[in-house]
Amino acid sequence: MEADVGSRYEIPRTAEFLRARAYTRVALQLPDEMLKDAAAVSRALRRELASSGGGGVRVFVMADTAYNSCCVDEVGASHIDAQCVVHYGHACMSPISNLPAFFVLGKAPLDVDACASSILECSRKGSKHILVLYGLEYAYALDDLRRTFEELHKSNSCNSEVKYADILCSVMSPSSNNADENNYPQSSGNSCHVDLSIKSDVSTFLNNRCSMECSSSTHKYSLGGVTWNISPQEKMEDYIIFWIGHDNSAFANIVLTFNKCEIVRYDAIRNQLSTDVSHLMKVLRRRYYLVEKAKDANIIGILVGTLGVAGYLHIIEQLKEMIRAAGKKSYTLVMGRPNSAKLANFPECEVFVYVSCAQTALLDSKYFLAPVITPFEAVLALSRGREWTGEYLLDFKDLITSEKQEVTSATEARFSFITGAYVEDNCTQESMEQSETSLTLAEVTEKALSIQNQNNNAVLYQGRAMSSIDYLKARSYRGLTGDYEGPAPDSILVGRTGRAAGYNDEKTQSAQ
């Protein structure tokens, strides 16, 4: 059992990393499905460290993450003053802000021979090249898969080129002062387990990201923790994407981002191919509907879905500025993992923008009172003259810019596909600074028009409120207020004291 834990959770490699860095306080982050092994993993790791003089290392297990288990929980680790986080299981590989992270991706079972045969079968059916992408839990078998396919390729006539994506990193640091990190031993089977350093400065971070993706000789892509290159003369539509893994959020990220590509999924559990991604295309059509809903919204809530992904504060400020320039009101909400009950406490918000990592950005909101959209969809809804061409971005880092966004004109009438009529957006807050005479006229007009909505002031009535205060005024019940109309209340009386079995005054009466 201990040997199995040491192999599956890569205990020797983890211990070597911790010893090389001389860390003394380490946080272990395990997803819910791995928590049953948490005690065995921590014991094996402490034993391995003690055997080589690292017995002073304190290991803490984080059993519950504040947001998503695929992201590094820097907030939870900071509560115990951890110096680094060892992240187990599926990871989105989102850049981190404060603490270094070491990733143990796991080893899901994979029939290498059957998978290689499926790649060969896929390459025979068309003339396009094959791009092999995969869930990170299958990265350990990549070298064996490549070698097995090459043997099949030699014995079978096949002209299609097969390209394999590599792992983005196994060590991630928020600073660039780690030139020696590539010298640490990496697990076998991963052809590109290198260290990725992200500077906290936004402008430097943006420059690093662009330099990674674009060069004169190749175009580099990175998505969901994997990375690959194609030549400048090629496009992603020239490839058939062969996905190895489950139909999960990582696969949805691939399908929606490269929705113009032909995609084949290999189910490693059933050992069969599937080309049906119609349900995800339906998701894409529904997202377009939510964009149209966001265009008509006056009050927008910004849901904070991460506190550790680098750049999340910058994109929140960018969204707030964009919403303000469009003449709408925004509220920033921090509530952990959102659900329908939590969001129902803010019925004045007509739409929510969810700022999170790419693999958890698509929040199913069909049971919510208001739709939840991604930052990319918010940009589509608020940008002037921007039409949806089918491009879809789930990673908000692709939207971060130092330039001010051009938003829709506040005085221009537009056609609303939701109401089926032309509507005029409200004026921006800067133009609402009017003289006292103008405000007086506006108040008189508001009183004259208030009779029209006197039967619609239900608790959930939104109307055309421009802020939460306007929405509160339209509610039938506003809670306890200081204004009291009617007769004065009775004087305050002192109640009974004691227990219900025998109050103090009852004991006195019985004694008499």
Side-chain angles (χ1 to χ4, degrees), residues 214-219 230-233:
C214 302
S215 66
S216 58
S217 58
T218 60
H219 290 314
I230 64 174
S231 65
Q233 294 77 23

Side-chain angles (χ1 to χ4, degrees), residues 131-135 163 165 226 228 241-245 254 258:
L131 174 62
V132 178
L133 305 180
Y134 45 86
K163 187 184 296 292
V226 295
W228 65 94
I241 297 179
F242 187 94
W243 170 263
I244 305 173
I254 295 292
F258 302 109

Side-chain angles (χ1 to χ4, degrees), residues 447-460:
K447 292 180 180 179
L449 297 177
S450 62
I451 301 178
Q452 178 181 354
N453 293 330
Q454 63 181 357
N455 297 325
N456 295 330
N457 58 350
V459 175
L460 298 180

Side-chain angles (χ1 to χ4, degrees), residues 282-420:
K282 292 179 182 178
V283 170
L284 197 60
R285 288 193 291 268
R286 172 170 171 77
R287 306 310 297 189
Y288 180 78
Y289 167 76
L290 297 183
V291 170
E292 295 299 323
K293 289 275 290 185
K295 291 180 179 180
D296 293 346
N298 286 330
I299 305 176
I300 300 175
I302 301 176
L303 289 179
V304 180
T306 178
L307 295 177
V309 178
Y312 81 97
L313 287 175
H314 192 83
I315 193 64
I316 289 175
E317 291 301 321
Q318 186 172 312
L319 287 171
K320 289 167 64 176
E321 178 63 28
M322 188 181 305
I323 293 171
R324 185 186 304 113
K328 305 176 187 295
K329 184 70 175 179
S330 67
Y331 295 94
T332 305
L333 308 173
V334 182
M335 60 180 65
R337 298 181 184 180
N339 55 43
S340 57
K342 291 179 181 179
L343 297 187
N345 293 317
F346 307 95
E348 63 270 22
C349 295
E350 300 171 71
V351 69
F352 296 94
V353 183
Y354 191 42
V355 178
S356 69
C357 72
Q359 297 195 10
T360 57
L362 290 179
L363 192 63
D364 188 4
S365 59
K366 60 182 178 182
Y367 298 112
F368 295 178
L369 291 177
V372 181
I373 64 175
T374 65
F376 172 71
E377 292 164 348
V379 171
L380 285 177
L382 300 175
S383 297
R384 175 187 298 174
R386 181 166 181 173
E387 298 294 334
W388 196 352
T389 60
E391 175 195 28
Y392 201 88
L393 301 175
L394 284 171
D395 197 338
F396 65 75
K397 296 188 297 297
D398 296 326
L399 304 174
I400 295 179
T401 175
S402 57
E403 300 177 358
K404 189 174 181 180
Q405 293 287 328
E406 186 179 9
V407 298
T408 50
S409 174
T411 59
E412 231 176 62
R414 60 175 180 80
F415 184 80
S416 171
F417 289 96
I418 303 300
T419 62

Side-chain angles (χ1 to χ4, degrees), residues 496-512:
R496 290 181 171 184
T497 59
R499 296 185 303 168
Y503 291 104
N504 293 342
D505 60 337
E506 293 177 344
K507 293 180 181 179
T508 305
Q509 294 175 1
S510 60
Q512 294 176 354

Side-chain angles (χ1 to χ4, degrees), residues 10 18 31 85 124 135 191-193 212 228 252-253 287 321 456 462-463 472 479-480 482 498 501 510:
E10 303 183 30
L18 298 177
V85 178
R124 285 175 174 176
S191 57
C192 186
H193 261 246
M212 286 175 57
W228 65 94
N253 191 6
R287 306 310 297 189
E321 178 63 28
N456 295 330
Q462 295 179 359
L472 182 62
L480 300 177
S510 60

